[in-house]
C-alpha cells in the first residue's frame, strides 16, 4: 500500500449495501460488558473492554491473555506493540507485560473512536466528527484527513484496502473507501440493532467487529470479488 500525500477530501456519497454475513460471535467475557477497540495480532483477537484488554483465540473462543490497561476506544497492533486509545491519549503497550512504553495525544482529544496501523502510520476514527485521521505514531501529528457522511467507529486496513465501521441512528455498516478521495466503494450492512464499535481484519477473509454494550465480538465475512 502506498499512503497518499496529506490532504482533506469531501464527504463521500451513499453507496448501495449488501447484507453483512456474521459467521461467529464471541463473548460476552467475564467482567466485561462493553467492547470498544478490536485488533488482531496474527494469532489472537484483542478487545478493549474499558478497564482491561483481553485476548482470545478465534478458533476456540477461549481467553488467552488479559492486561489491566484502560481502553475506551480503538485498538491496533503494529507487529510488536499494541496501541490503545484511552481518554485523550494513545498508549503504546507491550502485549506481554502490559507496560506502557510511550504515549501520544489523540487527535480528537477524547472524541476518538477506531484505530488501525498501516505502513508506519496510525489511522484514527473521529466518531461524531465523521472523520478519519492518518497520524504520526511518534508525535501524534495529523498527516491527512478523510471525511465520512456517518459517525465513524472502527478502522482497519487489509490488502491495501481501507475499511471503517459506522454506527448512527441504531444502524451500522462496514464500508470500504478510497484512501485517496474518501469515496465509498462498498458497504456491508449489519442487522438492525447490531452495532460496530471496533473493527479489525484478520488479514484474510474476516473482519472482527466490536459490539459495544452487547459485550460481544462478531466475525463478519469479507466479500470475495475482483478488486479494482
Amino acid at each position: 500500500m502506498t499512503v497518499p500525500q496529506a490532504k482533506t477530501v469531501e464527504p463521500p456519497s451513499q453507496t448501495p449495501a449488501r447484507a453483512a454475513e456474521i459467521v461467529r460471535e464471541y463473548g460476552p467475557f467475564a467482567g466485561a460488558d462493553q467492547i470498544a477497540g478490536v485488533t488482531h495480532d496474527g494469532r489472537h483477537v484483542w478487545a478493549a473492554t474499558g478497564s482491561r484488554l483481553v485476548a482470545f483465540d478465534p478458533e476456540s473462543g477461549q481467553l488467552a491473555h488479559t492486561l489491566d490497561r484502560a481502553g475506551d476506544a480503538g485498538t491496533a497492533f503494529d507487529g510488536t506493540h499494541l496501541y490503545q486509545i484511552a481518554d485523550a491519549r494513545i498508549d503504546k503497550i507491550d502485549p506481554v507485560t502490559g507496560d506502557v512504553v510511550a504515549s501520544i495525544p489523540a487527535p480528537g482529544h477524547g472524541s476518538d473512536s477506531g484505530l488501525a496501523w498501516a505502513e508506519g502510520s496510525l489511522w484514527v476514527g473521529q466518531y461524531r466528527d465523521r472523520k478519519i485521521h492518518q497520524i504520526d505514531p511518534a508525535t501524534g501529528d495529523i498527516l491527512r484527513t478523510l471525511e465520512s457522511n456517518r459517525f465513524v467507529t472502527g478502522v482497519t486496513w487489509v490488502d491495501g484496502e481501507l475499511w471503517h465501521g459506522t454506527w448512527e441512528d441504531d444502524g451500522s455498516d462496514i464500508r470500504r473507501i478510497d484512501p485517496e478521495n474518501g469515496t465509498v466503494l462498498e458497504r456491508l450492512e449489519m442487522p438492525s440493532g447490531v452495532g460496530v464499535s471496533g473493527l479489525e481484519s484478520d488479514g484474510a477473509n474476516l473482519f472482527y467487529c466490536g459490539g459495544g454494550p452487547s459485550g460481544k465480538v462478531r466475525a463478519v465475512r469479507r466479500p470475495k470479488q475482483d478488486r479494482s
Side-chain angles (χ1 to χ4, degrees), residues 13-206:
S13 59
Q14 191 66 283
T15 299
R18 72 181 79 180
E21 181 185 354
I22 299 173
V23 298
R24 187 166 179 178
E25 292 187 343
Y26 305 90
F29 303 101
D33 58 4
Q34 180 81 227
I35 301 294
V38 179
T39 195
H40 188 273
D41 66 6
R43 181 181 177 189
H44 296 120
V45 178
W46 289 82
T49 66
S51 61
R52 295 186 304 161
L53 286 167
V54 300
F56 63 87
D57 183 332
E59 293 297 326
S60 68
Q62 297 298 307
L63 284 180
H65 199 36
T66 63
L67 300 175
D68 291 326
R69 285 296 168 198
D72 52 14
T75 312
F77 182 69
D78 69 358
T80 302
H81 292 94
L82 295 166
Y83 290 83
Q84 179 59 56
I85 297 174
D87 295 324
R89 69 182 190 279
I90 301 174
D91 291 332
K92 183 178 182 179
I93 300 169
D94 184 316
V96 176
T97 66
D99 292 340
V100 175
V101 299
S103 295
I104 57 174
H109 309 291
S111 64
D112 310 273
S113 52
L115 189 64
W117 174 271
E119 289 196 354
S121 293
L122 288 170
W123 297 74
V124 188
Q126 305 291 285
Y127 182 61
R128 292 186 179 276
D129 289 342
R130 298 182 173 95
K131 294 179 180 179
I132 299 171
H133 296 305
Q134 178 194 2
I135 69 169
D136 185 318
T139 64
D141 292 343
I142 295 174
L143 305 177
R144 68 179 274 110
T145 297
L146 298 171
E147 296 189 10
S148 177
N149 59 1
R150 297 268 297 173
F151 289 168
V152 174
T153 57
V155 183
T156 190
W157 280 89
V158 55
D159 293 339
E161 299 173 357
L162 177 57
W163 293 76
H164 75 85
T166 78
W167 194 344
E168 187 172 353
D169 299 330
D170 295 323
S172 273
D173 65 14
I174 305 167
R175 50 181 59 185
R176 178 167 65 98
I177 65 172
D178 188 317
E180 294 188 4
N181 58 33
T183 300
V184 179
L185 304 173
E186 190 171 2
R187 296 174 56 234
L188 307 178
E189 192 167 70
M190 299 294 279
S192 178
V194 176
V196 176
S197 51
L199 178 67
E200 180 65 291
S201 166
D202 68 348
N205 299 318
L206 293 176

